[in-house]
């Protein structure tokens, strides 16, 4: 049995924390300063974490390596299992031409570019975040807006800023699932608290989008549909995350926000030519007057309807119980770790939910999509393989980051850092979202930031006498605001909008929005830790 030590280096908490932070510092410096590729940085950070665990914390070599393999396994299944299958469905619709049908149908809902930005970047982008995450919403939304006549820079900025409120529940709830796993806090609790923070952002984001698209005139003329869209999104996200399922939170919110927007009379009102001339200064490539076959339009929406139906059926108690029966819980080979108190940690065990996991349910929806769109089995398998190839570096990155996080957590490095930063006391509530924001800004992933800092937030909260559930959840909620400035997302936006080398331009435009929303989230968390504690479950 390996027993974790809080201060293994000369009995000094400060010196021990200085060494324990080296794996994180390695990743952050390699990504942010050296600008190394993310998968290389993650693997080198993992190597440093292993050296610190073995040489400083005295973790047996076999157990240190085993903990890394456990983290990598969790990164592959269920995390990347969800992403691969979701993007596979997207590739199938592109191959059959149904994605173009979907894109044109959005453009026909309203000819007002401000409404198009809300419908595509905020609502449909949220649905893409719910299904896939990991940069897909920004890429797809940017392409669609440019096709409608938005300038590349405006399309990219709108897509980046819109990709905030849904991020914590993206990829079928993967960030909050990961947070629950590494922090030891029940998923329902994490989901409920995050669902009482990010919906507040959702109210403001649509208003920010119309400002970006059309300035003060945009707010003056379209504040009502923007506010209704944001409020509807936020209310449904809150309700689903608290009372239904973290996996369905963004799906329900995106659909409800889109429905509320479409039903508003102002949305369907033809835009004045002066507005279109001022906003749509790019080159439109869509021919919206082209008639569409109703059957083709239905098939374009079918994959997303299938996912919603399948996930909803999966939440029915008898069905959920049946799916849960196909879960394998076992003691991870070679791990025998106890906390500083001498009690075995939960990380010694591992869970493999073969059926009741987002990736498997999305795979079922994908198989039904293949059948409905008359795609041959050979082409479907070829597209699945192409998806794996496209995501190969993302798979390596996620596996490396999760392996690093597990080594740090199980060796005791995270606990040491947590004890040190607990010295911030009550101020930790303000800093908690900032830590998540920084993690996502560097890694580009709320999932990765939760893996890196989730357990640390819990340890610090316990030592500072604050709510561990609140601070861990705030790591994810604050993290969503760092995604728009992450180098990975900026690069994705530039590639999608055909802006090679313009990452710096986009960063300067989105950074003020990121910082402003981050300040709002910090104040929300401080309030929830004091006078607004009644907001918590």
């Amino acid at each position: 049995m390996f027993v974790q030590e809080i201060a293994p280096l000369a009995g000094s908490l400060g010196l021990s924390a200085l060494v324990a932070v080296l794996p994180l510092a390695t990743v952050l410096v390699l990504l942010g300063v050296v600008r190394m590729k993310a998968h290389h940085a993650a693997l080198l950070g993992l190597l440093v974490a292993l050296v610190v665990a073995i040489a400083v914390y005295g973790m047996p070599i076999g157990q240190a390596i085993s903990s890394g393999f456990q983290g990598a396994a969790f990164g592959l299944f269920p995390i990347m299992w969800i992403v691969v299958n979701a993007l596979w469905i997207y590739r199938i619709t592109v191959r059959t031409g149904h994605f173009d049908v979907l894109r044109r149908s959005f453009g026909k809902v309203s000819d007002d570019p401000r409404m198009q930005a809300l419908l595509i970047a905020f609502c449909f982008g949220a649905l893409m975040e719910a299904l896939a995450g990991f940069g897909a919403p920004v890429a797809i939304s940017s392409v669609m807006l440019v096709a409608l006549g938005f300038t590349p820079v405006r399309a990219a900025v709108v897509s980046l800023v819109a990709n905030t409120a849904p991020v914590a529940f993206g990829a079928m709830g993967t960030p909050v699932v990961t947070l629950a796993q590494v922090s030891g806090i029940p998923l329902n609790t994490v989901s409920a608290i995050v669902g009482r923070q990010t919906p507040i952002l959702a109210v403001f984001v649509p208003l920010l989008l119309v400002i970006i698209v059309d300035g003060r005139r945009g707010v003056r003329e379209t504040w009502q549909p923007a506010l209704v869209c944001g409020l509807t999104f936020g209310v449904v996200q809150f309700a689903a995350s608290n009372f239904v399922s973290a996996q369905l939170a963004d799906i329900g919110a995106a659909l409800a926000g889109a429905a509320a927007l479409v039903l508003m009379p102002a949305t369907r009102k033809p835009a004045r030519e002066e507005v279109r001339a001022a906003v749509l200064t790019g080159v439109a490539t869509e021919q919206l007057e082209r008639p569409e076959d109703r059957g083709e339009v239905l098939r374009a929406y079918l994959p997303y309807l299938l996912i919603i139906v399948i996930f909803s059926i999966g939440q029915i108690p008898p069905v959920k119980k049946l799916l849960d029966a196909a879960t394998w819980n076992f003691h991870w080979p070679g791990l025998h770790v106890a906390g500083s108190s001498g009690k075995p940690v939960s990380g010694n065990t591992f869970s493999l939910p073969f059926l009741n996991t987002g990736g498997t349910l999305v795979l079922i929806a994908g198989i039904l999509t293949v059948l409905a769109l008359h795609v041959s089995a050979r082409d479907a398998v070829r597209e699945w393989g192409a998806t794996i190839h496209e995501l190969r570096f993302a798979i390596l990155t996620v596996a490396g980051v999760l392996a690093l996080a597990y080594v740090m957590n199980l060796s005791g490095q995270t606990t040491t850092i947590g004890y040190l930063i607990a010295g911030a006391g009550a101020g930790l509530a303000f800093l908690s979202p900032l830590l998540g924001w920084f993690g996502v800004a560097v890694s580009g992933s709320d999932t990765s930031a939760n893996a890196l800092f989730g357990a640390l937030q819990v340890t610090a909260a316990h030592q500072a006498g604050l709510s561990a559930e609140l601070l861990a959840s705030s790591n994810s909620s604050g993290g969503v605001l760092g995604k728009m400035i992450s180098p990975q997302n900026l690069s994705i936006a530039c590639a999608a909008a055909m802006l090679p080398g313009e990452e710096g331009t986009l960063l300067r435009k989105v950074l003020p929005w990121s910082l402003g929303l981050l300040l709002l989230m910090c104040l929300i968390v401080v309030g929830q830790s004091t006078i607004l504690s009644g907001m918590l479950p």
Side-chain angles (χ1 to χ4, degrees), residues 202-357:
V203 176
F204 295 98
V205 171
L207 293 170
L208 297 183
L209 296 181
V210 296
I211 291 175
I212 294 170
V213 172
D214 196 30
R216 294 181 181 178
R217 178 178 59 188
V219 176
R220 186 173 62 251
E221 296 181 357
T222 64
W223 68 269
Q224 288 181 322
L227 187 59
V228 168
C229 178
L231 280 171
T232 305
F233 184 101
V235 168
V236 174
Q237 189 185 61
F238 158 74
S241 60
N242 277 263
F243 308 114
V244 182
S245 163
Q247 287 84 351
L248 292 174
D250 277 350
I251 293 177
L255 294 175
L261 188 62
V262 170
L263 291 174
M264 289 286 290
T267 301
R268 300 189 301 275
K269 182 180 178 181
R272 299 196 313 277
E273 191 55 41
E274 63 184 86
V275 173
R276 291 179 55 79
V279 176
L280 301 179
T281 52
V283 179
T285 59
E286 293 288 11
Q287 297 177 353
L288 300 181
E289 68 279 1
R290 171 181 171 181
E292 301 284 2
D293 178 79
R294 288 186 178 181
E296 291 299 297
V297 174
L298 178 61
R299 282 187 282 274
Y301 283 91
L302 184 61
Y304 311 105
L305 296 175
L306 285 172
I307 290 174
I308 295 165
V309 170
I310 290 172
F311 269 82
S312 299
I313 293 173
Q315 297 305 311
I316 299 173
V319 178
K320 184 176 176 63
K321 184 177 180 180
L322 184 63
L323 296 175
D324 283 336
T327 299
W328 182 25
N329 296 299
F330 61 96
H331 188 282
W332 187 263
L335 274 185
H336 304 280
V337 180
S340 56
S341 64
K343 295 181 180 180
V345 299
S346 61
N348 291 320
T349 60
F350 194 74
S351 178
L352 278 175
F354 294 107
L355 294 180
N356 196 17
T357 182

Side-chain angles (χ1 to χ4, degrees), residues 403-427:
L404 179 153
Y406 270 60
V407 171
M408 291 188 66
N409 293 344
L410 289 171
S411 66
Q413 297 172 58
T414 298
T415 304
T416 299
I417 300 170
Y419 269 73
L420 183 70
I421 68 172

